[in-house]
Amino acid sequence: MEKSKDKLALYGGQPIRDSYLPYGRQWIDEADIKAVVDILKSDFITTGPTNFEFEQAIAEYVGAKYAVAFSSGTAALHAACSVAGVAENDEVITTPITFAASANSVLFMGGTPVFADIDPQTYNISPDAIEPLINSKTKVIITVDFTGQPAEYDAIMTLADKHGLIVIDDAAHALGASYNGKKIGSIADMTMFSFHPVKHITTGEGGIITTDNKKFYDRLISFRSHGITRDPSKIKGKTGPWYYEMQDLGVNYRMTDIQAALGLSQLKKLPAFLAKRKEYSRKYTKAFENSTEIVTPYQHHDSSSSWHLYILRMNGSSLKADRNEIFRALQKENVGVNVHYIPVYLHPYYQQLGYKKGLCPQAESLFKEIITVPLFPKMTDADVDDVIAAVKKVISYYAID
Ligand SMILES: *Cc1c(COP(=O)(O)O)cnc(C)c1O
């Protein structure tokens, strides 16, 4: 019997796509491969001149004075929390709608993450929710530019100034985004970017911190490499060509030159990658903005998103199925949907630390209704059309008429 195109694949119909479309993936070309191979044939394969070149290129791109590359975005966040001085009994305010690493970096230092609820429109941390949580223990605010849309930095930096707090921006989603005409990476005291393969550009694994603060820069360099220095101007003891000193407790979070070469080559394509993400996002918004069943992402007038993720919010009151069923139906149509994110404090590890359900009601209700659809530069127009067709097919099936 012929499989019907209208019948949901979940119930035995024919799926919209024959092959599975992931929600995100890298785009590596021949120039990237050559850049990596050139390094493999050179004298430096670990942290050498190409690392510094990559750091300079990222700093210049975002408009920051300094950049320090790390082995991952998570390592970079750990380093940022360390140089910000986060320690036991310190509180760090952050958002629950993020990847666990944003808050975990506080736990690595023995500090306490404090979750501020989100703005239901932008899905970013709400400045109004931050202020009442500030007390004498508060040391840092970790913002997240969720999906690539910058957090509200005018209000957040003003709050931080008023209370003497350091702002660390987890901008894993936001390379290329800007706020009030300023690039993300030049606003917070320290900004982290990730180069995981689903992010805007990749180094395999990798991350970076950008900053204008020379003290932070020096400490980040030290933390990344065992707290050891060979710089004669910083050495306290006897000097000699062989001499080095460990002055702080550090780790090995260095990025290799193999990765940095890939990053430099990828960075050349960033403007084209960003343009594709923007174009496909516009297409999605145009296709869904008049639907009563789904809410398209609101864009704040002050900000320009880098569109790392495209998230559809299900309007529960006009649908017969919940997010989980709609999610399953889209997966069966071979569309690689995802959920970003489970509010961090609902994870078992955080529950066992004593965080309670109900802490951030806006974040929890958002979580129940969101679906991330595929968005990456290597998608084709036909892929985008498939996603739109699959969402329309599934949503019209479950719509309450
Ligand atoms: C990807 C990501 C990280 C972690 O970066 P890695 O490079 O994978 O360690 C942290 N925060 C957010 C919001 C992310 O999306």
Side-chain angles (χ1 to χ4, degrees):
M1 208 171 66
E2 181 82 357
K3 279 193 172 183
S4 161
K5 272 255 181 199
D6 300 331
K7 193 171 179 186
L8 296 191
L10 182 63
Y11 304 129
Q14 193 188 335
I16 292 280
R17 288 177 62 88
D18 295 333
S19 64
Y20 185 77
L21 180 70
Y23 91 93
R25 64 159 300 171
Q26 73 279 10
W27 187 346
I28 301 289
D29 67 12
E30 289 304 318
D32 294 330
I33 293 166
K34 180 174 185 306
V36 168
V37 171
D38 286 350
I39 290 295
L40 288 172
K41 292 175 178 166
S42 78
D43 291 337
F44 284 97
I45 58 170
T46 187
T47 320
T50 312
N51 241 263
F52 189 64
E53 216 186 306
F54 181 51
E55 290 168 340
Q56 296 266 292
I58 292 283
E60 190 180 325
Y61 177 78
V62 304
K65 282 199 186 127
Y66 311 101
V68 182
F70 290 88
S71 50
S72 72
T74 303
L77 278 175
H78 182 189
C81 281
S82 170
V83 310
V86 175
E88 222 173 304
N89 297 319
D90 288 341
E91 294 186 357
V92 174
I93 298 172
T94 192
T95 171
I97 297 293
T98 184
F99 184 58
S102 320
N104 291 350
S105 63
V106 179
L107 296 180
F108 299 156
M109 300 308 303
T112 304
V114 174
F115 295 97
D117 210 349
I118 55 159
D119 175 327
Q121 220 171 7
T122 63
Y123 311 158
N124 269 325
I125 192 166
S126 157
D128 293 340
I130 294 174
E131 185 147 37
L133 299 174
I134 297 173
N135 63 54
S136 59
K137 290 181 178 175
T138 311
K139 194 153 210 171
V140 170
I141 300 171
I142 300 180
T143 56
V144 175
D145 306 313
F146 180 57
T147 71
Q149 171 161 238
E152 280 183 58
Y153 287 102
D154 276 350
I156 292 168
M157 299 310 287
T158 303
L159 268 179
D161 271 354
K162 186 170 141 195
H163 297 278
L165 309 176
I166 293 169
V167 177
I168 299 171
D169 177 6
D170 175 342
H173 297 182
L175 184 62
S178 54
Y179 177 83
N180 273 339
K182 284 186 86 180
K183 275 248 168 65
I184 288 298
S186 66
I187 300 172
D189 296 294
M190 287 181 268
T191 301
M192 180 281 273
F193 298 103
S194 162
F195 307 119
H196 179 276
V198 298
K199 308 289 162 68
H200 291 82
I201 61 170
T202 190
T203 60
E205 296 282 359
I208 208 162
I209 298 286
T210 62
T211 184
D212 282 343
N213 183 315
K214 177 73 162 62
K215 267 204 193 111
F216 289 161
Y217 174 69
D218 288 342
R219 286 194 222 143
L220 289 165
I221 295 271
S222 167
F223 185 78
R224 177 177 69 176
S225 199
H226 312 286
I228 285 175
T229 185
R230 290 175 186 274
D231 180 345
S233 70
K234 295 195 183 81
I235 274 175
K236 295 177 177 123
K238 270 193 200 140
T239 63
W242 55 270
Y243 190 79
Y244 66 88
E245 273 181 0
M246 180 189 147
Q247 298 179 336
D248 288 299
L249 187 61
V251 290
N252 176 357
Y253 278 169
R254 295 185 302 257
M255 177 184 270
T256 66
D257 270 18
I258 305 166
Q259 293 165 295
L262 178 55
L264 266 173
S265 177
Q266 286 260 299
L267 188 57
K268 294 188 188 133
K269 285 162 285 216
L270 178 60
F273 287 173
L274 287 164
K276 276 283 176 206
R277 288 176 177 277
K278 195 166 271 183
E279 178 194 332
Y280 293 157
S281 299
R282 276 211 200 102
K283 252 182 123 169
Y284 283 151
T285 297
K286 205 156 164 254
F288 305 128
E289 68 189 346
N290 295 322
S291 158
T292 47
E293 292 83 21
I294 42 191
V295 181
T296 54
Y298 170 85
Q299 293 301 291
H300 199 278
H301 56 86
D302 284 339
S303 70
S304 165
S305 179
S306 54
W307 291 107
H308 168 56
L309 301 174
Y310 194 95
I311 290 182
L312 294 171
R313 184 171 192 168
M314 305 299 119
N315 180 2
S317 60
S318 52
L319 287 159
K320 282 180 283 204
D322 65 4
R323 187 273 312 278
N324 291 346
E325 186 159 357
I326 295 166
F327 185 96
R328 274 195 298 276
L330 285 166
Q331 282 278 349
K332 290 285 185 193
E333 301 296 334
N334 273 326
V335 171
V337 286
N338 223 297
V339 174
H340 296 93
Y341 290 97
I342 301 168
V344 173
Y345 63 82
L346 293 181
H347 284 291
Y349 187 81
Y350 279 82
Q351 288 287 294
Q352 153 248 297
L353 291 177
Y355 292 87
K356 295 275 182 289
K357 211 172 169 205
L359 186 62
C360 298
Q362 296 291 356
E364 289 182 28
S365 73
L366 177 74
F367 163 59
K368 290 192 193 111
E369 299 187 333
I370 44 176
I371 290 179
T372 305
V373 295
L375 179 64
F376 54 97
K378 211 172 184 184
M379 281 173 85
T380 62
D381 280 298
D383 292 334
V384 176
D385 291 340
D386 284 347
V387 174
I388 292 171
V391 170
K392 287 193 164 162
K393 176 182 176 183
V394 169
I395 292 296
S396 61
Y397 179 85
Y398 291 117
I400 296 168
D401 23 52

